[in-house]
mmCIF file of all heavy atoms in Angstrom:
data_model
loop_
_atom_site.group_PDB
_atom_site.id
_atom_site.type_symbol
_atom_site.label_atom_id
_atom_site.label_comp_id
_atom_site.label_asym_id
_atom_site.label_seq_id
_atom_site.Cartn_x
_atom_site.Cartn_y
_atom_site.Cartn_z
ATOM 1 N N ILE A 5 -11.600 -15.119 5.148
ATOM 2 C CA ILE A 5 -11.528 -14.518 3.814
ATOM 3 C C ILE A 5 -12.656 -13.523 3.603
ATOM 4 O O ILE A 5 -12.458 -12.441 3.076
ATOM 5 C CB ILE A 5 -11.616 -15.627 2.708
ATOM 6 C CG1 ILE A 5 -10.548 -16.707 2.944
ATOM 7 C CG2 ILE A 5 -11.531 -15.013 1.314
ATOM 8 C CD1 ILE A 5 -9.121 -16.247 2.808
ATOM 9 N N PHE A 45 0.175 -5.820 -0.827
ATOM 10 C CA PHE A 45 0.464 -5.428 -2.202
ATOM 11 C C PHE A 45 -0.364 -4.208 -2.624
ATOM 12 O O PHE A 45 -0.526 -3.939 -3.816
ATOM 13 C CB PHE A 45 0.210 -6.629 -3.137
ATOM 14 C CG PHE A 45 1.121 -7.789 -2.798
ATOM 15 C CD1 PHE A 45 0.605 -9.004 -2.378
ATOM 16 C CD2 PHE A 45 2.506 -7.658 -2.869
ATOM 17 C CE1 PHE A 45 1.433 -10.069 -2.048
ATOM 18 C CE2 PHE A 45 3.352 -8.705 -2.518
ATOM 19 C CZ PHE A 45 2.815 -9.922 -2.125
ATOM 20 N N LEU A 83 1.150 -15.112 -7.327
ATOM 21 C CA LEU A 83 0.677 -15.014 -5.946
ATOM 22 C C LEU A 83 0.623 -16.410 -5.328
ATOM 23 O O LEU A 83 0.996 -16.606 -4.157
ATOM 24 C CB LEU A 83 -0.717 -14.367 -5.913
ATOM 25 C CG LEU A 83 -1.357 -14.266 -4.538
ATOM 26 C CD1 LEU A 83 -0.553 -13.354 -3.616
ATOM 27 C CD2 LEU A 83 -2.804 -13.769 -4.635
ATOM 28 N N ALA A 84 0.184 -17.385 -6.107
ATOM 29 C CA ALA A 84 0.077 -18.768 -5.580
ATOM 30 C C ALA A 84 1.435 -19.274 -5.083
ATOM 31 O O ALA A 84 1.539 -19.806 -3.961
ATOM 32 C CB ALA A 84 -0.479 -19.689 -6.670
ATOM 33 N N VAL A 87 2.590 -17.362 -1.906
ATOM 34 C CA VAL A 87 1.874 -17.802 -0.718
ATOM 35 C C VAL A 87 2.367 -19.182 -0.271
ATOM 36 O O VAL A 87 2.548 -19.433 0.929
ATOM 37 C CB VAL A 87 0.351 -17.772 -0.991
ATOM 38 C CG1 VAL A 87 -0.417 -18.567 0.049
ATOM 39 C CG2 VAL A 87 -0.140 -16.338 -1.019
ATOM 40 N N LEU A 99 -3.104 -10.875 4.097
ATOM 41 C CA LEU A 99 -2.879 -10.487 2.702
ATOM 42 C C LEU A 99 -3.767 -9.342 2.263
ATOM 43 O O LEU A 99 -5.000 -9.396 2.436
ATOM 44 C CB LEU A 99 -3.168 -11.681 1.765
ATOM 45 C CG LEU A 99 -3.111 -11.387 0.258
ATOM 46 C CD1 LEU A 99 -1.667 -11.144 -0.207
ATOM 47 C CD2 LEU A 99 -3.723 -12.542 -0.538
ATOM 48 N N ARG A 100 -3.162 -8.277 1.739
ATOM 49 C CA ARG A 100 -3.917 -7.235 1.029
ATOM 50 C C ARG A 100 -3.467 -7.257 -0.432
ATOM 51 O O ARG A 100 -2.277 -7.274 -0.726
ATOM 52 C CB ARG A 100 -3.676 -5.858 1.613
ATOM 53 C CG ARG A 100 -4.326 -4.772 0.761
ATOM 54 C CD ARG A 100 -4.372 -3.453 1.422
ATOM 55 N NE ARG A 100 -5.344 -3.445 2.511
ATOM 56 C CZ ARG A 100 -5.701 -2.349 3.171
ATOM 57 N NH1 ARG A 100 -5.154 -1.182 2.871
ATOM 58 N NH2 ARG A 100 -6.594 -2.415 4.141
ATOM 59 N N HIS A 101 -4.451 -7.233 -1.326
ATOM 60 C CA HIS A 101 -4.140 -7.384 -2.749
ATOM 61 C C HIS A 101 -5.164 -6.598 -3.577
ATOM 62 O O HIS A 101 -6.345 -6.540 -3.200
ATOM 63 C CB HIS A 101 -4.209 -8.890 -3.112
ATOM 64 C CG HIS A 101 -3.552 -9.228 -4.393
ATOM 65 N ND1 HIS A 101 -4.165 -9.000 -5.620
ATOM 66 C CD2 HIS A 101 -2.348 -9.764 -4.682
ATOM 67 C CE1 HIS A 101 -3.359 -9.399 -6.585
ATOM 68 N NE2 HIS A 101 -2.227 -9.872 -6.040
ATOM 69 N N PRO A 102 -4.751 -6.002 -4.681
ATOM 70 C CA PRO A 102 -5.703 -5.200 -5.467
ATOM 71 C C PRO A 102 -6.774 -5.997 -6.188
ATOM 72 O O PRO A 102 -7.776 -5.426 -6.625
ATOM 73 C CB PRO A 102 -4.820 -4.456 -6.474
ATOM 74 C CG PRO A 102 -3.538 -5.220 -6.524
ATOM 75 C CD PRO A 102 -3.387 -5.895 -5.204
ATOM 76 N N LYS A 103 -6.583 -7.316 -6.344
ATOM 77 C CA LYS A 103 -7.555 -8.110 -7.118
ATOM 78 C C LYS A 103 -8.575 -8.786 -6.205
ATOM 79 O O LYS A 103 -8.229 -9.501 -5.271
ATOM 80 C CB LYS A 103 -6.821 -9.199 -7.913
ATOM 81 C CG LYS A 103 -6.037 -8.667 -9.087
ATOM 82 C CD LYS A 103 -6.212 -9.602 -10.317
ATOM 83 C CE LYS A 103 -5.662 -8.964 -11.553
ATOM 84 N NZ LYS A 103 -4.217 -8.999 -11.649
ATOM 85 N N GLU A 104 -9.848 -8.608 -6.550
ATOM 86 C CA GLU A 104 -10.911 -9.294 -5.837
ATOM 87 C C GLU A 104 -10.721 -10.806 -6.022
ATOM 88 O O GLU A 104 -10.444 -11.267 -7.121
ATOM 89 C CB GLU A 104 -12.260 -8.838 -6.434
ATOM 90 C CG GLU A 104 -13.418 -9.214 -5.581
ATOM 91 C CD GLU A 104 -14.711 -8.510 -6.053
ATOM 92 O OE1 GLU A 104 -14.641 -7.444 -6.685
ATOM 93 O OE2 GLU A 104 -15.760 -9.062 -5.777
ATOM 94 N N GLY A 105 -10.843 -11.563 -4.959
ATOM 95 C CA GLY A 105 -10.679 -13.026 -5.045
ATOM 96 C C GLY A 105 -9.266 -13.485 -4.718
ATOM 97 O O GLY A 105 -9.020 -14.679 -4.573
ATOM 98 N N ALA A 106 -8.313 -12.519 -4.584
ATOM 99 C CA ALA A 106 -6.903 -12.917 -4.346
ATOM 100 C C ALA A 106 -6.755 -13.661 -3.021
ATOM 101 O O ALA A 106 -6.005 -14.647 -2.938
ATOM 102 C CB ALA A 106 -6.011 -11.679 -4.357
ATOM 103 N N ALA A 107 -7.471 -13.231 -1.996
ATOM 104 C CA ALA A 107 -7.313 -13.872 -0.690
ATOM 105 C C ALA A 107 -7.878 -15.304 -0.719
ATOM 106 O O ALA A 107 -7.319 -16.218 -0.100
ATOM 107 C CB ALA A 107 -8.016 -13.054 0.393
ATOM 108 N N ARG A 108 -8.988 -15.475 -1.443
ATOM 109 C CA ARG A 108 -9.574 -16.825 -1.571
ATOM 110 C C ARG A 108 -8.581 -17.735 -2.275
ATOM 111 O O ARG A 108 -8.366 -18.885 -1.859
ATOM 112 C CB ARG A 108 -10.897 -16.705 -2.335
ATOM 113 C CG ARG A 108 -11.708 -17.946 -2.458
ATOM 114 C CD ARG A 108 -12.491 -18.352 -1.229
ATOM 115 N NE ARG A 108 -13.548 -17.432 -0.854
ATOM 116 C CZ ARG A 108 -14.122 -17.439 0.363
ATOM 117 N NH1 ARG A 108 -13.763 -18.309 1.283
ATOM 118 N NH2 ARG A 108 -15.080 -16.576 0.645
ATOM 119 N N LEU A 109 -7.960 -17.216 -3.328
ATOM 120 C CA LEU A 109 -6.965 -18.020 -4.058
ATOM 121 C C LEU A 109 -5.778 -18.326 -3.132
ATOM 122 O O LEU A 109 -5.301 -19.474 -3.069
ATOM 123 C CB LEU A 109 -6.493 -17.241 -5.287
ATOM 124 C CG LEU A 109 -5.463 -17.968 -6.137
ATOM 125 C CD1 LEU A 109 -5.873 -17.948 -7.597
ATOM 126 C CD2 LEU A 109 -4.073 -17.365 -6.006
ATOM 127 N N ALA A 110 -5.328 -17.316 -2.393
ATOM 128 C CA ALA A 110 -4.200 -17.539 -1.472
ATOM 129 C C ALA A 110 -4.526 -18.652 -0.479
ATOM 130 O O ALA A 110 -3.678 -19.500 -0.176
ATOM 131 C CB ALA A 110 -3.872 -16.239 -0.733
ATOM 132 N N GLY A 111 -5.757 -18.662 -0.013
ATOM 133 C CA GLY A 111 -6.181 -19.698 0.951
ATOM 134 C C GLY A 111 -6.050 -21.106 0.383
ATOM 135 O O GLY A 111 -5.769 -22.049 1.109
ATOM 136 N N GLU A 112 -6.228 -21.211 -0.931
ATOM 137 C CA GLU A 112 -6.140 -22.543 -1.560
ATOM 138 C C GLU A 112 -4.703 -23.023 -1.623
ATOM 139 O O GLU A 112 -4.450 -24.235 -1.689
ATOM 140 C CB GLU A 112 -6.728 -22.486 -2.974
ATOM 141 C CG GLU A 112 -8.237 -22.423 -2.960
ATOM 142 C CD GLU A 112 -8.811 -22.094 -4.327
ATOM 143 O OE1 GLU A 112 -8.132 -22.331 -5.330
ATOM 144 O OE2 GLU A 112 -9.954 -21.577 -4.361
ATOM 145 N N PHE A 113 -3.742 -22.101 -1.625
ATOM 146 C CA PHE A 113 -2.332 -22.497 -1.791
ATOM 147 C C PHE A 113 -1.546 -22.421 -0.474
ATOM 148 O O PHE A 113 -0.377 -22.806 -0.454
ATOM 149 C CB PHE A 113 -1.667 -21.626 -2.856
ATOM 150 C CG PHE A 113 -2.162 -21.960 -4.233
ATOM 151 C CD1 PHE A 113 -3.240 -21.294 -4.781
ATOM 152 C CD2 PHE A 113 -1.572 -22.972 -4.971
ATOM 153 C CE1 PHE A 113 -3.721 -21.611 -6.037
ATOM 154 C CE2 PHE A 113 -2.044 -23.301 -6.234
ATOM 155 C CZ PHE A 113 -3.128 -22.616 -6.759
ATOM 156 N N VAL A 118 -5.054 -17.879 6.373
ATOM 157 C CA VAL A 118 -4.935 -16.607 5.655
ATOM 158 C C VAL A 118 -6.062 -15.684 6.145
ATOM 159 O O VAL A 118 -7.223 -16.088 6.234
ATOM 160 C CB VAL A 118 -5.096 -16.809 4.126
ATOM 161 C CG1 VAL A 118 -5.161 -15.460 3.401
ATOM 162 C CG2 VAL A 118 -3.942 -17.648 3.585
ATOM 163 N N ASN A 120 -7.855 -12.166 5.095
ATOM 164 C CA ASN A 120 -7.999 -11.199 4.015
ATOM 165 C C ASN A 120 -7.983 -9.764 4.589
ATOM 166 O O ASN A 120 -8.876 -9.394 5.340
ATOM 167 C CB ASN A 120 -9.331 -11.459 3.291
ATOM 168 C CG ASN A 120 -9.567 -10.521 2.123
ATOM 169 O OD1 ASN A 120 -8.703 -9.742 1.761
ATOM 170 N ND2 ASN A 120 -10.750 -10.633 1.526
ATOM 171 N N GLY A 122 -8.200 -7.143 2.698
ATOM 172 C CA GLY A 122 -8.730 -6.320 1.616
ATOM 173 C C GLY A 122 -8.317 -6.865 0.276
ATOM 174 O O GLY A 122 -7.115 -6.930 -0.014
ATOM 175 N N ASP A 123 -9.295 -7.300 -0.525
ATOM 176 C CA ASP A 123 -9.005 -7.807 -1.879
ATOM 177 C C ASP A 123 -9.806 -6.982 -2.886
ATOM 178 O O ASP A 123 -10.977 -7.206 -3.109
ATOM 179 C CB ASP A 123 -9.335 -9.307 -1.987
ATOM 180 C CG ASP A 123 -10.782 -9.638 -1.720
ATOM 181 O OD1 ASP A 123 -11.432 -8.965 -0.880
ATOM 182 O OD2 ASP A 123 -11.320 -10.567 -2.362
ATOM 183 N N GLY A 124 -9.119 -6.018 -3.503
ATOM 184 C CA GLY A 124 -9.794 -5.165 -4.490
ATOM 185 C C GLY A 124 -11.078 -4.588 -3.927
ATOM 186 O O GLY A 124 -11.108 -4.096 -2.795
#
Side-chain angles (χ1 to χ4, degrees):
I5 306 295
F45 299 118
L83 177 64
V87 164
L99 174 71
R100 173 168 288 188
H101 196 282
K103 288 221 169 77
E104 194 169 335
R108 185 77 66 196
L109 180 131
E112 286 168 23
F113 290 91
V118 173
N120 181 6
D123 60 327

